[in-house]
Amino acid sequence: MLQLFARRAPVTTRLQDHSPCSKHQSSTARPARSLKLVACAGYSNSVDVVVVGSGIIGLCVTRKLLTDTNSTVVLLDRQQPCAGATGAGQGYIWLAHRDPASPSWPLARRSKALWEQLAAQPHTDGHTNNLADNLEWQANGSLLLATTAAEIQQLEARAVMLQQQGIPGVLLLSPRELKMHEPALKLPTGSMGLLVSSDAQINGKRTAFAMLDDCKRLAESGDGPHPRLQVSLGEGVVTLEPHGSQPGVTVVTDRRSWRVEWSTTC
């Protein structure tokens, strides 16, 4: 199996899917209803969108809603930002280990492009907690390692595949070139590497908290009668109840870690 090496990081891991851009969001639209929050004191009775989870996915969805729509949003999490999958991840923004034949390939490329756009945003005058700064964008690239003849064959095929997809910075490293790039690695003789210099890494924890601050800043720019963003972190929201006849209510959740219960009594 090919190994995935985080450049300038102290560990080498097996080829796995660690990138934040690999995480999928699922949304379930409820027809013609608004939401009432139960066991969440102090919040407005109804909202347009409930986002469950304050990891990278939930925060990105919340930020997009506040940027591009007039929706009112509640962001819920039983813990603090970056306490789940985002906190466990390494902030990899990589395509080197991806399979272009996978249905998630277009999503991964789009996600990486959006991170790059966010990292390239100019500084905002007077805004001390600039989101782009807090990403801690590190354009170190990624490195796949092959130590056997079978793995080298896979590596060569992957290099061709990524180049055909137009991924920039794809370079197959000979044993000598690999030693020059990463002299501290102790590998069997004849090992080769695949360097994708366009891959990058972010600080997931700092990004999550900076994105939450950015969402609050965006919400303050609204002038409607109700707050555009309500945040409930570390609170036990028991139930979300649909009621009324307002259109456009959506719950966005990662179903692997949350269950949203809908009451049918109201």
Side-chain angles (χ1 to χ4, degrees):
M1 181 183 293
L2 296 178
Q3 291 182 322
L4 187 60
F5 177 67
R7 303 195 73 211
R8 297 172 179 82
V11 296
T12 301
T13 62
R14 288 292 180 181
L15 177 59
Q16 294 178 356
D17 192 354
H18 293 298
S19 171
C21 65
S22 70
K23 298 178 175 62
H24 301 282
Q25 69 188 49
S26 58
S27 62
T28 303
R30 300 289 172 171
R33 290 186 173 185
S34 61
L35 295 178
K36 180 172 66 176
L37 303 182
V38 178
C40 191
Y43 292 92
S44 177
N45 280 342
S46 63
V47 291
D48 299 317
V49 182
V50 174
V51 178
V52 182
S54 63
I56 288 295
I57 293 175
L59 290 165
C60 284
V61 170
T62 301
R63 186 174 184 273
K64 188 68 173 176
L65 288 167
L66 294 172
T67 301
D68 293 357
T69 76
N70 293 320
S71 300
T72 55
V73 183
V74 166
L75 177 64
L76 306 178
D77 201 314
R78 57 189 170 187
Q79 301 184 69
Q80 296 297 313
C82 205
T86 296
Q90 298 297 315
Y92 299 147
I93 313 295
W94 291 358
L95 292 176
H97 62 307
R98 297 285 185 175
D99 181 5
S102 168
S104 64
W105 175 256
L107 178 63
R109 293 201 66 172
R110 175 61 175 160
S111 176
K112 186 171 184 293
L114 290 173
W115 281 116
E116 290 170 340
Q117 291 174 20
L118 189 59
Q121 284 185 351
H123 291 229
T124 303
D125 293 337
H127 184 41
T128 57
N129 193 22
N130 183 266
L131 180 55
D133 288 341
N134 280 280
L135 291 180
E136 292 188 7
W137 184 266
Q138 303 172 60
N140 294 336
S142 62
L143 184 62
L144 288 174
L145 304 175
T147 59
T148 68
E151 291 178 353
I152 290 173
Q153 187 175 7
Q154 294 178 41
L155 200 71
E156 292 171 339
R158 176 166 290 276
V160 172
M161 178 175 58
L162 293 174
Q163 288 169 345
Q164 289 175 341
Q165 292 292 321
I167 304 302
V170 177
L171 180 63
L172 192 65
L173 302 178
S174 68
R176 179 175 175 273
E177 292 169 331
L178 178 58
K179 187 67 174 177
M180 291 175 60
H181 275 80
E182 297 292 343
L185 287 179
K186 305 299 182 182
L187 298 171
T189 302
S191 297
M192 296 183 64
L194 176 60
L195 173 65
V196 181
S197 60
S198 58
D199 281 348
Q201 190 170 2
I202 63 172
N203 184 322
K205 185 173 183 178
R206 285 197 62 180
T207 299
F209 280 93
M211 192 168 288
L212 177 59
D213 288 342
D214 202 52
C215 288
K216 293 176 179 178
R217 179 183 63 83
L218 290 167
E220 291 173 356
S221 63
D223 55 1
H226 303 292
R228 292 198 60 209
L229 176 65
Q230 301 171 69
V231 179
S232 174
L233 302 177
E235 298 184 34
V237 177
V238 178
T239 306
L240 304 177
E241 296 184 358
H243 71 101
S245 59
Q246 298 180 16
V249 174
T250 303
V251 173
V252 182
T253 177
D254 181 344
R255 292 175 181 163
R256 293 169 299 182
S257 57
W258 283 85
R259 182 173 61 135
V260 178
E261 297 179 355
W262 290 80
S263 169
T264 59
T265 60
C266 52

